[in-house]
Each structure stands twice: as structure tokens, then as C-alpha cells.
Amino acid sequence: MPSPSATRTALTVLGTVGAVGAGAAIWGIGIERYLFTVRLHEVAVLPAGSAPVRVLHLSDAHMAPWQHRKQRWIAALAELQPDLVVNTGDNMGHFDGLRGLRTAFDPLRGIPGVFVHGSNDHAAPSPRNPLLYFTGPSKVRHTAEPLDTQALDSYLTDELGWLDLNNKVGSVDAGGLRVAAFGVSDAHRHWDKLEVLPDLVAALRQKDSADLTIGVTHAPYRRVLDEFVDLGADTIFGGHTHGGQVRLPGFGALVANCDIPLKQARGLSTWTHDGRTVPLNVSAGLGHSIYAPVRFACRPEASLLTLVPRA
């Protein structure tokens, strides 16, 4: 039979663990997921003599109509006066999410932009055990409620004037430069059609001379990043990972929900393939599934990248 002192010690340890767990849950669910932040980066990729170009990278809003705090914060990003907006998908988090997106994105109207889809631009999130997120890349669910993707795309293209890069290519003028862009739809769902890009990129280059080339993907799978490097991207943008969503201080992300190295699940890094290295920015995103409302050591974010001339 344990001694009274041993029992007291065990109870103290259990109480401490319980208090820490409760505190972490309160922080992650009730506080940190509302602590929106802007990550600032400088990237030397422009031709010599170019003026700086400010790129606002938005991802994974997972918008629900009642998320007014998030909508107001995103709307205020227009005050950063970006030259180009790059949206890496998963905009919708609810069947009526477009109503919230209009409030969030309308102030960016008229700023050149590009976008690709994540799966939550096609299907609403569904209830699931949030702990399964930490067991590896999430599985495809075929019973999710379909979203009005056509209405979303109409808003992004016709009203905001952004360029659809879902397995497509195109060019925009931003900050006095001609920017060529190519992208793929959600690689996590195997909607990426990498095989069509080489011919499309070659045709674009024949008819349009660009100062900068960017590659845009929702899920930064290795196969996509390798192909983007081969196709001549000067900078690559991705999302999807949520930065791990729950990170351990001093360690980082526990999962990336794709095959990218965990250390690259958030922020600016580089990607090398066949001897060529380019900057890669993976956004930790602005939101989360309404069924997993938590962020820990991983604040919701947008990125502002200032592109400057190469040394």
C-alpha cells in the first residue's frame, strides 16, 4: 500500500499535468487562434534595377460566416498596400463561407492576384476526430457536403480580378513588372495535373516576356515543388499545412499533412531540385476547420514578402 507521502506526490503530479493540459487547451482554443499576425520576409529574386514588389500571401482562411474577427483582420491587410495577392486555397470553411469571404477580401479588389484551390474550396469540412490529424496525412472523405465552387471562382475572378491558376498558367502586371504564374489544384487530393504544365508554360513564354515567374500550389508536395523548380519558378508559394497547427515550442510542427519536411511546414525556406534552388514560402494559414478550433504555438497568419533585386 502506498505511503501517504507517495500518494500526495502522485496526486500533485496528476494535478499539475491536468492544470497544464487545461491551460494549454484554454490558450489554444480560446486565445491563440485569434492572435492573427503578419510574417514579413524579404526575397531577392527580381532583375537588377527593379523596384521592390510587395506580395501578400493568403492561405487556408477556412471561412465561416460568423467569424467576424477574422474577416475584419483580413480586410485590414489592404492597408499594407500589396502589389500582388497570392491565395493558396482552402478559402471556404462552411457552405455559407463566401459571405464572410466577401467581407474579408473586398478591400483587396483591384489589386492583381492569383489563386488555386484546396479541397475546402470544393467540399465543406465534416466532423472527425481531431487527434487523427496527428497520425499522418488526412484521408479523403467522399461524403462531404459540396460547396458552390463556381460562385467562389466567379467572385475571385470576375469581382476581384484574380487569375485562376488551377492547372493553368497566366500573366499579371504587378508593381511595374510582368509576372508569369503557373499553378495546380489541390495535390493532397491528387487534383494536380503536372503533366499539362510544361506545354502551357512553354506557350506562355513564347507569347509573353516576364520579369518574374512564380509557382502556386495549395499542398506543397515534393512532386509539385520539384516540377515547379524544373519549370523555372523564381519563387514558390504553398499552404495547406497550417504550420502543423499545434507545434511544440523548441521543436516545431508535429505533422505537415503532406510529404514536405516538417522544418519547412511553415515560413520562408528554399527548395532544391536538380541543382537549382528557389525560395519557398509555406503559409501557416489564417484559420482551421470549424471541427478543430485550436492553434498552439502556431498563430494564424498572412505573409508579406517584399521581393527585391538579386544581389
Side-chain angles (χ1 to χ4, degrees):
M1 182 175 180
S3 67
S5 61
T7 301
R8 287 195 298 271
T9 300
L11 291 175
T12 299
V13 170
L14 289 174
T16 301
V17 171
V20 170
I26 291 171
W27 175 262
I29 296 172
I31 300 174
E32 185 168 349
R33 68 189 179 106
Y34 300 114
L35 298 181
F36 302 100
T37 189
V38 178
R39 290 190 179 273
L40 303 176
H41 304 289
E42 185 175 288
V43 187
V45 293
L46 299 184
S50 301
V53 174
R54 294 158 68 84
V55 180
L56 178 63
H57 181 188
L58 305 176
S59 195
D60 298 88
H62 292 282
M63 188 66 72
W66 60 80
Q67 294 173 335
H68 302 297
R69 189 169 0 186
K70 179 163 60 179
Q71 294 160 22
R72 290 193 297 269
W73 189 85
I74 296 173
L77 293 174
E79 298 172 6
L80 297 175
Q81 298 182 318
D83 300 299
L84 176 67
V85 178
V86 175
N87 182 316
T88 47
D90 268 4
N91 292 285
M92 305 276 274
H94 185 271
F95 76 91
D96 196 22
L98 182 55
R99 178 156 56 93
L101 286 176
R102 287 181 177 275
T103 300
F105 289 169
D106 269 0
L108 300 171
R109 188 186 301 265
I111 300 172
V114 299
F115 71 93
V116 293
H117 289 154
S119 62
N120 282 150
D121 296 314
H122 290 264
S126 53
R128 65 180 69 191
N129 182 351
L131 295 179
L132 293 177
Y133 182 80
F134 300 101
T135 64
S138 57
K139 303 297 189 294
V140 176
R141 306 194 78 174
H142 300 285
T143 58
E145 179 183 18
L147 298 173
D148 192 343
T149 306
Q150 184 175 354
L152 171 66
D153 287 357
S154 178
Y155 170 64
L156 296 177
T157 58
D158 299 338
E159 298 187 43
L160 296 186
W162 294 355
L163 181 65
D164 182 348
L165 292 180
N166 287 291
N167 303 312
K168 298 177 182 178
V169 304
S171 298
V172 296
D173 293 312
L177 298 180
R178 189 66 170 167
V179 180
F182 53 79
V184 291
S185 189
D186 191 359
H188 187 63
R189 296 300 177 93
H190 299 280
W191 296 341
D192 54 311
K193 297 181 179 179
L194 293 169
E195 68 278 5
V196 308
L197 288 184
D199 288 343
L200 293 176
V201 171
L204 178 65
R205 287 176 176 152
Q206 285 184 345
K207 68 176 183 179
D208 198 352
S209 178
D211 304 294
L212 176 73
T213 300
I214 63 173
V216 184
T217 180
H218 173 64
Y221 277 84
R222 293 170 185 259
R223 67 179 186 273
V224 175
L225 303 180
D226 288 347
E227 183 68 14
F228 280 11
V229 172
D230 290 346
L231 288 172
D234 296 307
T235 309
I236 301 173
F237 297 86
H240 175 70
T241 65
H242 295 193
Q245 192 161 329
V246 173
R247 298 170 66 93
L248 290 182
F251 178 82
L254 300 175
V255 294
N257 206 19
C258 64
D259 63 359
I260 195 172
L262 290 180
K263 66 181 181 180
Q264 294 181 272
R266 182 182 75 178
L268 182 67
S269 62
T270 58
W271 192 260
T272 300
H273 182 63
D274 279 353
R276 185 168 181 266
T277 299
V278 300
L280 165 67
N281 192 65
V282 176
S283 173
L286 292 154
H288 46 72
S289 168
I290 57 176
Y291 299 108
V294 62
R295 287 261 185 171
F296 188 82
C298 189
R299 293 170 65 171
E301 67 177 50
S303 302
L304 184 69
L305 291 84
T306 301
L307 309 186
V308 298
R310 298 181 182 91

